[in-house]
């Protein structure tokens, strides 16, 4: 019956981060003590002040369908947040609240892409970008970056990737999976290229904005000449430890926001009522209320880098944001360890799972076949034990 499925779904890859998590669960069910460093999920609970707001919303009988593009009070909080944190001015018709930033991105792709339209994706990119683009019948155009350039796309690379079919550029900064953060100057240099190609729309995914260890988050839409052609994507999953609450949002040119609203109105309707009320409280709070999580990630970042540096064959950058390291492990390619022949990052990641019982994600999932992604959204004890096991598995 498989052949009865649409080409669309048959051509869609399964999320490799979720697949790795499922494989780790399987091994755990067999009684194996797997340490999961594969998921992009804070290991904190949602802060109490946000949970209280949700409980209050239930007791206040927020239970009806919500406006498709979000409660007006949430839009107020988002507009204030954009001004406060990003110096961006948006109005109500420019904001669309969705069921996670993932839906925000899917909305934009489906609203903007015609078959054959090209979308430039600097690699490594977040796992779902390429698949969402393909689902919308667009063509992902990968631009490879290297560890030496700190995984940053240069203006020359961007210029070279642009063709008459280029419709959009998508990137995340801070970046999942590399942790790189574009400075304002670097974004301006990319904007200078884009200024010569006025029809290209930019999707700036800023969901890791607050998880930034070097300070100075910059948004593409801050540049006056980019504002009218940039979709700023954000959400609460990462910084507020609210992955399961499923709220993301965009600030965009009104014509794009209108199209996303139209699409969402036919597919999911407005996002969950209780989660939206809780997010109003989350966004209205000063950022200092969540900085304890960022401080903890920063300590773990140092720990994991120090431990990785002790293992032969791992070459890594110092991530500037998010909670991942993305080491290059290609020096192991062509080797056989404990009976496992390692020819690529997927073999390596599988070797770590089976022999060290540590779940990571292959760089292939992110468009970079020489690296693996290790999440440090885990306790220090777990990180220490995981790296000890990796070191030991590789030393034999
Ligand atoms: C770069 C990036 N964008 C978007 C998302 C999706 O966020 P949400 O959970 O709000 O759908 C993620 C989640 O992993 C991400 O890493």
């Amino acid at each position: 019956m498989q052949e009865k499925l649409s080409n669309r779904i048959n051509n869609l890859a399964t999320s490799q981060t979720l697949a790795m998590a499922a494989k780790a669960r399987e091994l755990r069910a067999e009684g194996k003590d797997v340490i999961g460093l594969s998921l992009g999920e804070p290991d904190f609970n949602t802060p109490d002040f946000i949970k209280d707001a949700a409980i209050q919303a239930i007791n206040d009988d927020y239970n009806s369908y919500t406006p498709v593009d979000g409660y007006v009070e949430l839009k107020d909080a988002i507009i204030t947040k954009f001004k406060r944190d990003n110096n961006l001015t948006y109005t109500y018709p420019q904001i669309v609240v969705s069921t996670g930033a993932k839906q925000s991105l899917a909305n934009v792709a489906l609203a903007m892409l015609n078959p054959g339209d090209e979308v430039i994706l600097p690699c490594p990119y977040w796992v779902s970008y390429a698949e969402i683009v393909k689902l919308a019948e667009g063509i992902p155009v990968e631009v490879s970056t290297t560890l030496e350039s700190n995984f940053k796309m240069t203006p020359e690379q961007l210029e070279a990737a642009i063709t008459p079919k280029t419709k959009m550029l998508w990137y995340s900064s801070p970046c999942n999976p590399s942790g790189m953060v574009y400075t304002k100057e670097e974004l301006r240099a990319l904007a200078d290229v884009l200024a010569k190609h006025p029809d290209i729309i930019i999707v700036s995914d800023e969901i890791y904005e607050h998880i930034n260890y070097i300070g100075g988050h910059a948004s593409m839409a801050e540049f006056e000449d980019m504002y009218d052609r940039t979709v700023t994507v954000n959400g609460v999953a990462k910084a507020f430890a609210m992955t399961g609450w499923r709220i993301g949002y965009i600030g965009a040119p009104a014509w794009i926001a209108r199209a996303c609203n139209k699409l969402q109105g036919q597919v999911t309707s407005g996002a969950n009522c209780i989660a939206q009320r809780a997010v109003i409280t989350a966004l209205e709070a000063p950022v200092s209320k969540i900085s304890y999580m960022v401080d903890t990630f920063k300590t773990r970042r140092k720990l994991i880098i120090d431990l990785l540096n002790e293992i032969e064959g791992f070459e890594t950058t110092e991530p500037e944001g998010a909670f991942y390291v993305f080491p290059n492990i290609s020096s192991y390619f062509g080797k056989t360890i404990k009976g496992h022949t390692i020819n690529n990052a997927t073999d390596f990641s599988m070797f770590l799972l089976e022999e060290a019982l540590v779940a990571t994600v292959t760089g292939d999932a992110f468009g970079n076949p020489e690296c693996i992604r290790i999440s440090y959204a885990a306790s220090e004890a777990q990180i220490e034990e995981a790296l000890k096991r990796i070191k030991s598995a590789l030393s034999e």
Side-chain angles (χ1 to χ4, degrees):
M1 295 297 262
Q2 178 80 11
E3 69 279 4
K4 291 198 187 292
L5 292 171
S6 68
N7 295 339
R8 190 179 305 116
I9 201 70
N10 281 332
N11 291 336
L12 190 70
T14 304
S15 163
Q16 291 200 49
T17 49
L18 299 183
M20 189 48 131
K23 176 100 184 136
R25 262 198 308 274
E26 241 173 64
L27 289 175
R28 276 192 203 108
E30 289 169 17
K32 300 207 168 119
D33 168 29
V34 176
I35 301 177
L37 302 183
S38 64
L39 267 186
E41 172 153 70
D43 57 327
F44 293 99
N45 284 320
T46 304
D48 284 343
F49 74 98
I50 302 174
K51 292 197 285 196
D52 289 344
I55 292 163
Q56 188 63 44
I58 293 172
N59 289 330
D60 288 347
D61 294 321
Y62 279 96
N63 43 36
S64 307
Y65 282 129
T66 60
V68 172
D69 50 353
Y71 282 124
V72 77
E73 295 88 343
L74 178 51
K75 286 191 169 198
D76 280 330
I78 291 169
I79 287 168
T80 305
K81 174 256 165 312
F82 271 133
K83 192 75 202 157
R84 178 192 70 186
D85 300 340
N86 314 107
N87 198 26
L88 295 176
T89 305
Y90 288 115
T91 55
Y92 290 144
Q94 294 179 279
I95 306 290
V96 181
V97 176
S98 297
T99 301
K102 204 177 232 178
Q103 187 184 25
S104 303
L105 290 159
N107 281 346
V108 174
L110 290 165
M112 298 295 303
L113 294 174
N114 283 317
D117 284 345
E118 294 178 357
V119 179
I120 296 178
L121 304 179
C123 300
Y125 49 73
W126 179 48
V127 64
S128 292
Y129 287 175
E131 297 308 317
I132 291 174
V133 166
K134 284 194 259 171
L135 196 60
E137 298 184 68
I139 299 176
V141 175
E142 299 186 351
V143 176
S144 296
T145 65
T146 60
L147 195 120
E148 289 69 36
S149 66
N150 197 11
F151 297 113
K152 290 181 178 182
M153 177 175 67
T154 63
E156 294 74 28
Q157 285 183 300
L158 173 60
E159 182 80 70
I162 293 172
T163 76
K165 289 192 166 172
T166 306
K167 185 80 172 264
M168 291 197 274
L169 160 68
W170 284 28
Y171 66 87
S172 62
S173 175
C175 174
N176 174 4
S178 71
M180 76 86 198
V181 176
Y182 282 121
T183 64
K184 193 163 182 179
E185 293 69 35
E186 286 161 345
L187 284 183
R188 184 61 251 177
L190 296 175
D192 286 343
V193 174
L194 294 163
K196 292 186 261 167
H197 304 275
D199 292 335
I200 299 176
I201 300 293
I202 302 114
V203 172
S204 171
D205 181 346
E206 303 181 14
I207 197 163
Y208 290 95
E209 166 189 12
H210 295 307
I211 307 174
N212 177 332
Y213 313 109
I214 57 165
H217 176 79
S219 298
M220 186 62 97
E222 276 181 87
F223 303 123
E224 232 175 277
D225 57 340
M226 295 294 121
Y227 177 80
D228 281 334
R229 42 191 292 208
T230 299
V231 179
T232 308
V233 179
N234 213 320
V236 291
K238 312 294 176 173
F240 294 89
M242 295 180 76
T243 49
W245 296 69
R246 310 306 304 128
I247 299 290
Y249 54 90
I250 57 168
W255 60 278
I256 297 180
R258 246 192 328 272
C260 292
N261 190 11
K262 184 173 163 189
L263 175 65
Q264 195 163 286
Q266 293 292 13
V267 180
T268 52
S269 301
N272 176 280
C273 51
I274 306 305
Q276 285 199 55
R277 301 313 298 186
V279 172
I280 296 171
T281 299
L283 293 182
E284 283 178 346
V287 177
S288 57
K289 272 196 120 157
I290 49 165
S291 55
Y292 66 95
M293 292 187 261
V294 183
D295 293 342
T296 307
F297 289 136
K298 193 170 181 178
T299 309
R300 294 170 181 176
R301 176 183 75 141
K302 178 164 175 9
L303 174 68
I304 197 162
I305 290 171
D306 287 348
L307 293 174
L308 276 177
N309 283 338
E310 287 174 17
I311 306 177
E312 208 181 309
F314 278 71
E315 243 193 293
T316 188
T317 56
E318 186 159 310
E320 298 159 335
F323 35 65
Y324 313 99
V325 274
F326 198 62
N328 185 312
I329 42 75
S330 60
S331 64
Y332 285 98
F333 294 177
K335 296 194 174 152
T336 300
I337 313 170
K338 288 187 154 185
H340 299 258
T341 301
I342 293 165
N343 284 323
N344 50 49
T346 304
D347 291 344
F348 190 81
S349 180
M350 222 24 102
F351 166 81
L352 294 185
L353 182 61
E354 285 167 12
E355 295 297 336
L357 296 179
V358 176
T360 59
V361 187
T362 171
D364 281 312
F366 310 96
N368 184 319
E370 300 200 322
C371 298
I372 58 166
R373 188 189 78 174
I374 310 177
S375 163
Y376 51 90
S379 71
E380 286 184 36
Q382 282 176 312
I383 292 169
E384 277 169 2
E385 174 62 19
L387 275 281
K388 194 167 102 190
R389 289 189 199 173
I390 292 175
K391 190 173 183 182
S392 152
L394 288 169
S395 66
E396 285 174 30

